Amino acid sequence: MPKERRASGLKKIAALLISLGPEASARVLKLLPDADIELIAAEVANTSHVEPEFRAKILEEFMETHNAHSYLLEGGVGYARAMLDSALGVAKSTEIMRRLSQSTALRPFAFARKIDPKQLGGAISEEHPQTIALVMAYLAPEQSSVIMSMLPPEVRADVAKRIATMERVSPEVVNELETVLSGKFSVFSQQDFFVAGGMKALVNILNRVDRASEKLIFEYLEREDPALAEEIRKRLFVFEDIILLDDSAIQRVIRDIDNRELAMALKGGGGEVTQRIFKNMSKRAADMLREDLDFLGPIRLRDVEEAQARIVAVIRKLDEAGEIVIARGGEDAIIA
């Protein structure tokens, strides 16, 4: 979540709790995870007062969301939208439904996210690849990667392509499929619609599957859609993931990268990446890199991203050659 958006959310929560009073606020806080309680408590402590206009706006938003939740429970998405349209108008209704659709609890297949992925994989493996892809797109990447590894090889790659090219899905299709699958597990399921699948969803899954599954999927995609395969390959390991490599791997990568190229990439890299790079260099090499960084001055973001992409390409090439290991789940997990 972007920092500004998170801060805005915390301010709203703090204002709401202050408005509710200590007793009601205490009951609310008891329902939250410890980490969230700490953040909220700190924000409340730093809020000296709440402007009346802001307080009124927060309470109004809270009541609107609460009512929308009630409508959803009474009759589903269609009923909720109709009630909100009638009560608040189409524009306001659309905004509230947008906020609700961003809530994980209201996404489709909520029942499936509570099921062991191996059990779930066994239940859906006989379904059509498009059905499997749709379900996996809504699950957590950790679940989907397990299911992906369980699928027959010929199905695995087909499902991967369908996830990557998936865009908006009809609410009716999602509702019907969710009803059928929830029936198999005898679990009541919420209904909603959401943007599913896409490149990011597949990358999150592939970053966690075993190497054999990844290789099979790419072989298929390179035959069927080379441009898509290349685009996915670029996104699989991002520059910031360098912190996930062990020290010996980072040292091996540094040997194949020009100092100026590395300096340019680090101009846009996070502090952790920079620290890990310097940690794995000799004092002389680190001093030279610092000089290059100072000498570069301001540079275009596009140049930074291109330098980072070239370094990522080196890392993936070394991984494929077996000279370094990019840690992942399944059979390729690293045991210390």
Side-chain angles (χ1 to χ4, degrees):
M1 180 183 291
K3 187 175 179 182
E4 296 84 358
R5 204 159 144 204
R6 184 178 182 84
S8 175
L10 282 173
K11 288 183 183 301
K12 288 183 177 181
I13 294 170
L16 176 63
L17 292 181
I18 292 170
S19 301
L20 291 176
E23 290 186 11
S25 297
R27 290 198 296 271
V28 172
L29 287 174
K30 286 179 182 178
L31 303 173
L32 301 176
D34 290 347
D36 290 346
I37 293 174
E38 290 174 7
L39 287 172
I40 294 167
E43 186 64 36
V44 170
N46 288 319
T47 304
S48 57
H49 69 283
V50 179
E51 295 291 341
E53 295 82 3
F54 186 55
R55 176 178 180 274
K57 180 183 176 183
I58 295 303
L59 289 173
E60 180 184 6
E61 185 177 317
F62 173 76
M63 287 306 300
E64 289 172 349
T65 305
H66 172 75
N67 290 338
H69 272 285
S70 299
Y71 297 148
L72 278 167
L73 292 174
E74 286 175 32
V77 172
Y79 177 79
R81 182 176 287 279
M83 294 296 291
L84 291 171
D85 283 350
S86 175
L88 304 171
V90 175
K92 191 70 174 178
S93 169
T94 301
E95 170 61 21
I96 294 171
M97 293 303 293
R98 183 192 64 77
R99 290 203 305 264
L100 287 176
S101 72
Q102 293 171 345
S103 167
T104 302
L106 293 178
R107 293 186 67 184
F109 306 108
F111 72 90
R113 291 193 288 276
K114 301 174 184 177
I115 298 171
D116 178 81
K118 290 184 178 179
Q119 182 185 2
L120 184 59
I124 68 171
S125 60
E126 300 300 320
E127 300 287 343
H128 188 279
Q130 184 64 24
T131 299
I132 299 172
L134 180 57
V135 174
M136 288 174 61
Y138 282 110
L139 299 178
E142 293 80 6
Q143 278 184 301
S144 294
S145 62
V146 174
I147 296 171
M148 183 75 85
S149 299
M150 292 175 64
L151 298 175
E154 64 276 11
V155 177
R156 209 177 298 164
D158 188 10
V159 168
K161 182 179 179 182
R162 290 172 186 272
I163 293 174
T165 56
M166 191 182 299
E167 295 181 354
R168 285 192 175 273
V169 185
S170 163
E172 291 76 18
V173 171
V174 175
N175 290 343
E176 183 178 350
L177 178 57
E178 188 178 22
T179 300
V180 171
L181 292 181
S182 64
K184 285 187 177 183
F185 293 96
S186 300
V187 176
F188 175 78
S189 57
Q190 295 254 14
Q191 296 184 346
D192 188 26
F193 58 91
F194 207 80
V195 178
M199 198 77 68
K200 185 176 180 181
L202 180 60
V203 167
N204 280 334
I205 293 169
L206 289 181
N207 268 328
R208 292 167 171 82
V209 300
D210 58 275
R211 196 178 306 276
S213 295
E214 180 191 317
K215 183 179 178 183
L216 184 148
I217 289 167
F218 270 112
E219 286 174 352
Y220 172 86
L221 290 176
E222 281 162 357
R223 289 195 308 271
E224 298 294 319
D225 194 336
L228 177 63
E230 181 59 26
E231 185 62 28
I232 294 170
R233 197 182 290 279
K234 286 178 185 176
R235 302 187 188 200
L236 261 183
F237 184 95
V238 297
F239 186 74
E240 288 73 17
D241 290 335
I242 286 175
I243 62 173
L244 304 178
L245 299 176
D246 61 30
D247 289 344
S248 61
I250 293 176
Q251 291 161 20
R252 177 64 188 87
V253 171
I254 290 172
R255 292 211 307 269
D256 282 9
I257 301 173
D258 177 76
N259 237 37
R260 181 174 172 79
E261 180 103 303
L262 185 55
M264 189 173 294
L266 290 178
K267 271 288 188 179
E272 276 191 276
V273 176
T274 304
Q275 288 172 21
R276 288 296 303 280
I277 294 292
F278 279 123
K279 175 187 172 185
N280 285 284
M281 302 179 86
S282 67
K283 184 178 184 304
R284 180 172 174 275
D287 288 341
M288 290 175 62
L289 180 58
R290 288 190 180 92
E291 287 180 11
D292 285 339
L293 277 166
D294 292 338
F295 179 76
L296 277 175
I299 56 176
R300 294 180 302 179
L301 176 61
R302 186 178 69 184
D303 293 334
V304 172
E305 291 175 343
E306 288 176 355
Q308 291 178 350
R310 289 191 290 269
I311 291 174
V312 167
V314 170
I315 292 171
R316 287 195 61 81
K317 185 177 178 181
L318 290 171
D319 177 54
E320 289 165 6
E323 294 191 47
I324 65 171
V325 175
I326 297 174
R328 63 193 74 203
E331 296 175 358
D332 293 314
I334 304 300
I335 307 294

